[in-house]
Amino acid sequence: MWHSPSGMLRWSLLAVAYASMAALALFVSEFWFDRPAWAHPEPWFDMPKSVAHVYSAALGIALGGLVVVVTRRLVERATWAQELARALKPFARDLTGTGIVVVAVLSSVGEEFLFRGLLEPWLGLWLQAVLFGLLHQMRGPSRWAWAVWAGIVGLLFGVLFVPTGSFVGPILAHAVINGFNLNYLQSHDPELPRRGLGGLLGQRSRA
């Protein structure tokens, strides 16, 4: 699954962290709030669970695909997105195809249980998104670009969770985004712009 011992150790620790997130969310939600972490307590629409799961899954796949497409367009055009992709590229370097799938699934399950399943009904849509963004910080100049982008995506996951109350959509959207974007980071080397405005408005020169 991983190419090197150091890479294997790093991703193994990350897998343990994601499993711990899910376990914590399940425990606190069940024994403190007396509700399951995989269902929103106050969904917008009252519908049978099977129907809710189908709608949620369809919306989740659609959202995941949309974010993947937008991500690629941003990396092609925006300076900050190119720099962020370069900063994140080492995280995907040691993963094989199977490793990408495993990490995508584990990260989506762990983070969705914690942020959407536990924190969103408790703290609200916006605060869970802020906390989700803050979790996705890293060292270097792309630190806040990554946090802001993750916060926006976390907000979208939260919005997806509320209408049906089904947990299926956010998990599928999260897994699709992480899986395709990890693969993209491996196969694509973003070219930093030779000329542009920089920052959020920076554009790659096409001359």
Side-chain angles (χ1 to χ4, degrees):
M1 184 184 299
W2 293 278
H3 291 306
S4 68
S6 60
M8 181 176 180
L9 176 61
R10 182 174 71 227
W11 290 111
S12 296
L13 292 174
L14 197 61
V16 171
Y18 289 136
S20 299
M21 286 182 186
L24 175 64
L26 286 167
F27 179 83
V28 173
S29 185
E30 185 69 32
F31 293 99
W32 186 269
F33 294 107
D34 195 27
R35 61 172 175 80
W38 55 83
H40 198 286
E42 298 179 353
W44 290 346
F45 303 108
D46 184 16
M47 60 181 71
K49 288 184 178 180
S50 58
V51 176
H53 292 329
V54 171
Y55 275 108
S56 183
L59 291 171
I61 292 172
L63 174 61
L66 177 62
V67 173
V68 167
V69 171
V70 170
T71 299
R72 280 150 177 71
R73 297 292 81 81
L74 286 172
V75 173
E76 290 174 358
R77 300 172 184 273
T79 303
W80 69 268
Q82 294 161 6
E83 293 174 342
L84 177 57
R86 284 192 170 227
L88 292 173
K89 191 175 178 68
F91 290 97
R93 183 177 299 149
D94 293 326
L95 288 173
T96 64
T98 302
I100 287 175
V101 172
V102 172
V103 171
V105 171
L106 290 177
S107 61
S108 63
V109 171
E111 292 181 351
E112 290 309 307
F113 266 112
L114 179 60
F115 288 94
R116 261 58 67 181
L118 174 63
L119 296 182
E120 182 175 340
W122 178 24
L123 301 178
L125 178 64
W126 290 94
L127 187 53
Q128 67 82 21
V130 170
L131 294 175
F132 185 70
L134 292 175
L135 177 73
H136 290 77
Q137 292 190 56
M138 59 184 181
R139 296 177 181 176
S142 296
R143 174 182 183 181
W144 291 111
W146 180 221
V148 170
W149 175 248
I152 293 171
V153 175
L155 181 64
L156 295 176
F157 292 156
V159 170
L160 180 61
F161 186 31
V162 181
T164 64
S166 171
F167 207 52
V168 175
I171 285 182
L172 285 177
H174 202 148
V176 167
I177 293 167
N178 283 5
F180 278 92
N181 283 353
L182 281 171
N183 181 71
Y184 182 67
L185 288 171
Q186 278 194 338
S187 60
H188 181 74
D189 189 15
E191 176 185 348
L192 290 177
R194 294 188 298 270
R195 184 176 69 245
L197 297 176
L200 294 177
L201 300 178
Q203 303 290 320
R204 184 176 65 191
S205 173
R206 299 182 181 275

